[in-house]
Each structure stands twice: as C-alpha cells, then as structure tokens.
Amino acid sequence: MDLHPFATLAAVLAIATVAGLIVARLRQPLIVAFLVVGIAVGPVGTGWVSADSTIELLAEFGIALLLFLVGLRLDLQMIRGTGPVALVTGLGQVLATATIGYLVAIAFGMDGLTALYVAMAVTFSSTIIIVKLLSDKRELDQLHGRIAVGVLIVQDLVVVVVMIALTAVGQDTGGGLGNGVAAVLLKGVGFLGGAWVLMRYVLPWLLPHIAQSQDLLVLFGVSYAASMAATSEWLGFSSEVGAFLAGVSLASTPFRDALGARLASLRDFLLLFFFLDLGSRLEFTDAGNQIVPAVVLAVLVLVGKPLIVIVIMSAMRYPLRVSVHSGLPLGQISEFSWILAALGLSLGHITNATVGLITLVGLITIAISTYLITYSESIYERVKGWLVIFERRGPREPKTDEADDCDVILYGLGRFGGHLADRLSRAGHRVLAVDFDPHQVKTHSSDSITVVFGSAEDLHLLEALPLSRARYVISAIPILHTNLALLHGLRHHGFNGTIALTAHTHRDAESLRAAGVQTVLEPFSTAARATSEALHELLAEDDGSAGRDNDPDRPLSRG
C-alpha cells in the first residue's frame, strides 16, 4: 500500500500512540513502544517506513538532543556527594560486565570486534528509564537512588569516551592508526578548549539576556546543541559527542533545569524517529539462531549486572538492602546501546544481524527490568536469604569516646532525622546518630553529635552501641519493616528505655502501636496539624480585624 509521506507519518504516529497506551497500561516505558513500532512499520513488518534522508535526519537530531540533555544533567557534585561508591561501582560494573559479555559473545562464535560491540551494548543502563521509575517511586533522594544515578553518570562518561575512540578507529586518515588517533586527540583538545571558553566567558554573559524569554531560551538550547553537534561532526567526531559537550557547558548554569524540563518532551518525540530509522534497517533473517545468545546475554544483564553491583558495594561495607536496591535498576540495556550499534553499523564494524541481536536483548531486558524496579522491595524480601553471604560481616565499632555516654540513640539522618539530631543536641542532649549513608555521616559529625556508620537492620550493631546508658532510641526512618526489625533487636538485647519509631502513614502507625511501640512519631500528621492550627489563628485574626474595621463605634485612627 503506497501512502503519501504525510499520511504515512500520521499513520505511524497514530500507531505509536496506541502502542504507547498499551505499554503504559503494562507499566512499561515508552521506549518499548517505540522499538515495537519501529520494527512493525519497517521492512520486517508493513514496509511503510524505509531508511531515507528525512527519517535519518530526525533520528540523528533526536539522539543529539538526548545527549545534550544527558550532558545538561551531568552533576559531578552528585558523584562526590555519594562518596567514592558511585565512581568505584560504576567503573567496576562497566569493566566486569564488558569482560563477561565479551567472553560470552566469543563463546557464541562472534569475531573480536563484533564481540566488543555486543559487550559494550550490554554494559550500559538506561538513564531515562531508571530516573523516571525511581522518580515515580520517590526514591531518587534516597541513598540507593543517588548511588544508582551516580553510577549512570559514570556510565554516560564512559559512553562518550567509547564513541570518541570508535570514531578515531573508524577514521581513514591514510597515515595509520597512530596518526589517526593523534589527529583526533589534537582536534579534541581544540574542541574542548573552545567549549571551555564559551562556558567560562561567553555563556555566563549571554544567557541572562536570552533567559528573559522562556521561548527564546528553549530555541537557544536547541540551536546551541545542534551547532555544537554539527561542529563536532565537521571536526571528525560524531554529532553526539558535540551535543553532549554542549549540555555539559550549560550544566553549571542556573538555567539548566528550565532547559531540561522544556526539552524533555521534544526529546521523547524525536526518539521515535530514531527507532523508526533503526527498525527500517533491521533484518531478522537469522532470528532463530539469535534466540539463545539473546537469552543468555539478557540473563547477564538482568542478573549479572545487579550481582556485580552488590558484590562491589558489599566490599565497600554497604548494607545488603542498599546494594540490592542500587543494583536492581541497572538490569537493562541503554538507549546508548543502540546508538553504539548504529555507529558501529555506519562504520562497517558490525552487521544488521548484530544490531538485531542487541535489539532483541534490549526488548527482553527493558520489559523485565521495569518490573524489577517497580517491585524491588518485594524482590529484596524474597532474595535476601540467598544473598546473605554478601552482607558485610560484623558491626563497625564507634570510634569516639563520646559514643560511650549518650542520652539518645537516633537512627536515620535524612530531612526529618537531621533536624531531630540538631534540635536534640541544641537542647543539651547527648546524641549518638546512626546512618548508612557516608555523606550523612560526614555532614552531621560534629562536637555535639557523634555519628557512626550502620544500618537499623544490622542487629549485630546493637552489640556495639551503649544501650545500657541510653534513655531513648529513636528511629527517624519511615519504613515499617525496618522499624519492626529494629524493635525486635532492641527487645532481644533487653533495652529498657523509651523507643520512638517513625511512620509516614496512619496504617503504619497503627501497625507499630500494635507491636507495642510506646511512642510513634508521625511527622506528616504533626506538620499538618500545626499548619492547620497556625492558619486557623491567622484566619481568626483576619476575621477579627475585619469586624473591627466594620465597627461604627471604633475610632478611625489606628493610633
């Protein structure tokens, strides 16, 4: 069936909308719908869409915009804020997964270069999917969420380095590989220098004038990303590298959040054309022989990558719960996996069959990992017995003399717990705080507050704490099963003081009271009650003032 190009585009968008509705009901990300639609309307399916300059241009622009937004969100402070764990875990996971993936690919008879592409494809995880799902679960600000995002930042940096290296290898300079790499490095240094000049001197002066109009700011962001991408391509790099660098140069400005929010929808729309272009190039002529390697590689991604993260973080003495919740989100391949595959296809390094294999692995892992992230807590409860060998052994002993004498032992130094610790300390109470976030331990340690690294579920840690001298044990952690585990441990160790545990919902509060907790802290209910009373007083004062203003016997002068 021959359709007018505009009618074809309209039909494809309608199909994508229906597919998006279906995957949304299945709690799947839109990227799954884009992949399916790209394959369905390509030569493998209806044949409506074939590779042409228009689709290819829109696809390239969509990927450039994606890299621009990744660079825009590059927050090196986040890596430093989560300590060395993000860097060590990120690099360790990349190296371990790539090595295993390479050996698996070689075992299936692939040549060295093809195996390298497959290995790199299964190494990276999807920033878009992970950030979206963790944000929906309100876990981005939790320790495991910050670690997962930190690992993604490390992966994004590795992606850019890999693309630069592939571009250098793929260039034919006529002077050998050494000269080609030297030329790329020289041009790269010049490009980075120009970007630094823009970031240091030009953009800080220009952006405040542009930002006076939000629409103009968005137009500037798109044009700046496109210009840097075009310059990068002219210098011999891929356009994605230039777009990423454009984002990085704006990441330290106060306008990055506004740009990122306004361009996210445009990015998602243009990514559809990338998958249309990808689908128009796929060939599944050897699909039967790809099923087994695809399943094996999918198991590596879904199970192997989280296990690698758990092993690394456990070696760094992080609690098993944090390790599992940090590793599970990484169990899928990234949109960058297809970008690398497309780059390898354009350079002639791999064939369509390899791209098809990577696509199959992507469909399997993204579909399953979405549920792994959504139901991570239930999964942890089921597998923690098998993973207990990775739990750090023995409590970390308090290292300060003040830990031997305290009035309050406080678990959790988040927003609520941190304020509690400060107020109790200022009131003259001796506080020993326990938290498993190294950043919180470092931030809150002071002369008046002793902070030790540990988990509320680590019952062995209770043996090292001065329970016999503490009058109160308070948990500012609003997780029911964590508080119940702490309650059980305190009773087991014969703690006779007052126990106060935190609940965010009325149902959790009732569960704690039913378990015999003397004091249940409900910060949301308390804040709502205090706010309501304050507003009531203000409204009463306003009503009284209005009544006095309307009193004919009241003097006109307010004195």
Side-chain angles (χ1 to χ4, degrees):
M1 178 176 63
D2 293 331
L3 294 176
H4 187 275
F6 192 86
T8 301
L9 178 61
V12 169
L13 292 177
I15 294 173
T17 301
V18 174
L21 178 61
I22 294 173
V23 300
R25 291 296 179 90
L26 296 174
R27 295 191 173 185
Q28 293 290 328
L30 277 180
I31 193 173
V32 174
F34 291 170
L35 267 173
V36 173
V37 172
I39 296 172
V41 302
V44 176
T46 63
W48 291 356
V49 176
S50 59
D52 61 29
S53 57
T54 303
I55 296 293
E56 187 176 354
L57 177 61
L58 290 172
E60 187 175 359
F61 193 78
I63 295 305
L65 194 59
L66 170 64
L67 267 294
F68 174 70
L69 291 180
V70 169
L72 200 63
R73 292 292 181 182
L74 182 61
D75 188 359
L76 296 178
Q77 293 293 335
M78 183 175 293
I79 296 180
R80 287 195 288 266
T82 53
V85 62
L87 186 61
V88 173
T89 304
L91 292 178
Q93 180 268 317
V94 166
L95 290 174
T97 306
T99 301
I100 299 173
Y102 181 82
L103 294 176
V104 170
I106 290 293
F108 280 107
M110 302 180 196
D111 62 83
L113 188 57
T114 301
L116 181 61
Y117 271 93
V118 171
M120 296 308 298
V122 301
T123 294
F124 305 114
S125 305
S126 175
T127 301
I128 294 176
I129 293 174
I130 294 173
V131 170
K132 176 65 168 61
L133 292 177
L134 289 180
S135 177
D136 290 345
K137 295 180 66 181
R138 299 181 180 179
E139 294 182 359
L140 278 179
D141 290 332
Q142 296 185 25
L143 177 58
H144 65 267
R146 298 202 307 273
I147 292 174
V149 173
V151 170
L152 291 173
I153 292 175
V154 174
Q155 288 185 358
D156 292 341
L157 293 174
V158 174
V159 166
V160 176
V161 173
V162 170
M163 287 194 296
I164 293 175
L166 290 175
T167 303
V169 172
Q171 287 182 349
D172 183 11
T173 60
L177 179 60
N179 291 337
V181 172
V184 168
L185 289 175
L186 185 61
K187 289 186 288 187
V189 170
F191 192 32
L192 287 173
W196 181 84
V197 171
L198 287 173
M199 182 171 59
R200 181 69 175 82
Y201 298 104
V202 179
L203 294 175
W205 167 80
L206 181 62
L207 281 173
H209 298 286
I210 293 176
Q212 294 179 10
S213 168
Q214 288 294 311
D215 294 334
L216 184 59
L217 180 64
V218 172
L219 178 61
F220 165 78
V222 173
S223 62
Y224 180 57
S227 299
M228 290 287 283
T231 302
S232 175
E233 199 166 32
W234 177 71
L235 289 173
F237 301 104
S238 66
S239 59
E240 291 87 354
V241 173
F244 176 80
L245 193 58
V248 172
S249 65
L250 294 175
S252 60
T253 69
F255 309 103
R256 72 170 194 169
D257 292 328
L259 268 174
R262 298 291 291 272
L263 293 178
S265 297
L266 179 59
R267 172 205 63 195
D268 294 340
F269 175 72
L270 290 175
L271 278 180
L272 170 62
F273 294 97
F274 169 73
F275 290 107
L276 288 176
D277 184 59
L278 181 66
S280 68
R281 301 173 188 274
L282 287 179
E283 297 176 2
F284 289 101
T285 54
D286 198 29
N289 294 328
Q290 290 180 337
I291 295 296
V292 174
V295 171
V296 173
L297 290 169
V299 171
L300 169 62
V301 173
L302 290 165
V303 180
K305 285 168 70 173
L307 278 177
I308 291 170
V309 171
I310 291 171
V311 171
I312 295 173
M313 292 185 62
S314 296
M316 299 180 72
R317 294 177 58 79
Y318 276 82
L320 181 61
R321 175 181 296 277
V322 178
S323 303
V324 172
H325 284 288
S326 300
L328 277 178
L330 304 178
Q332 82 287 121
I333 70 172
S334 171
E335 53 275 2
F336 293 119
S337 302
W338 285 291
I339 296 174
L340 287 175
L343 179 61
L345 185 64
S346 67
L347 294 174
H349 293 167
I350 59 176
T351 63
N352 277 315
T354 306
V355 178
L357 173 63
I358 294 172
T359 301
L360 192 56
V361 174
L363 286 171
I364 296 172
T365 57
I366 290 175
I368 296 177
S369 71
T370 301
Y371 296 109
L372 296 183
I373 300 173
T374 303
Y375 302 105
S376 58
E377 185 57 41
S378 299
I379 293 172
Y380 169 74
E381 293 297 330
R382 290 178 178 273
V383 303
K384 65 180 182 180
W386 299 345
L387 300 177
V388 70
I389 58 173
F390 297 115
E391 183 68 273
R392 60 188 184 88
R393 296 296 182 181
R396 181 172 293 187
E397 297 286 350
K399 297 180 179 180
T400 58
D401 294 335
E402 292 88 346
D404 293 332
D405 195 10
C406 66
D407 302 317
V408 179
I409 297 176
L410 172 67
Y411 280 90
L413 286 170
R415 284 172 292 185
F416 180 50
H419 282 90
L420 273 181
D422 292 337
R423 287 185 174 273
L424 289 171
S425 175
R426 287 200 297 267
H429 300 288
R430 295 161 296 182
V431 179
L432 170 62
V434 182
D435 199 289
F436 59 44
D437 185 346
H439 177 65
Q440 300 288 11
V441 172
K442 181 179 179 180
T443 301
H444 289 87
S445 295
S446 64
D447 293 337
S448 57
I449 302 175
T450 302
V451 186
V452 297
F453 180 88
S455 168
E457 295 184 55
D458 184 0
L459 302 185
H460 297 289
L461 179 64
L462 293 172
E463 300 172 0
L465 298 179
L467 293 177
S468 61
R469 291 178 293 279
R471 297 162 54 197
Y472 300 90
V473 171
I474 303 173
S475 170
I477 304 169
I479 302 176
L480 178 61
H481 56 76
T482 298
N483 284 324
L484 291 177
L486 176 60
L487 178 65
H488 172 75
L490 290 171
R491 288 173 174 171
H492 177 74
H493 285 80
F495 178 69
N496 295 318
T498 301
I499 300 174
L501 306 180
T502 299
H504 271 184
T505 68
H506 178 70
R507 180 178 179 181
D508 288 351
E510 291 301 317
S511 297
L512 292 176
R513 292 189 181 98
V517 178
Q518 299 101 318
T519 304
V520 178
L521 307 177
E522 299 181 74
F524 286 167
S525 297
T526 303
R529 184 165 54 251
T531 303
S532 175
E533 292 173 355
L535 290 174
H536 176 70
E537 292 177 3
L538 287 174
L539 290 172
E541 290 178 3
D542 290 342
D543 291 341
S545 298
R548 289 191 299 271
D549 290 341
N550 294 329
D551 186 353
D553 297 328
R554 186 174 180 271
L556 294 176
S557 172
R558 292 181 179 267

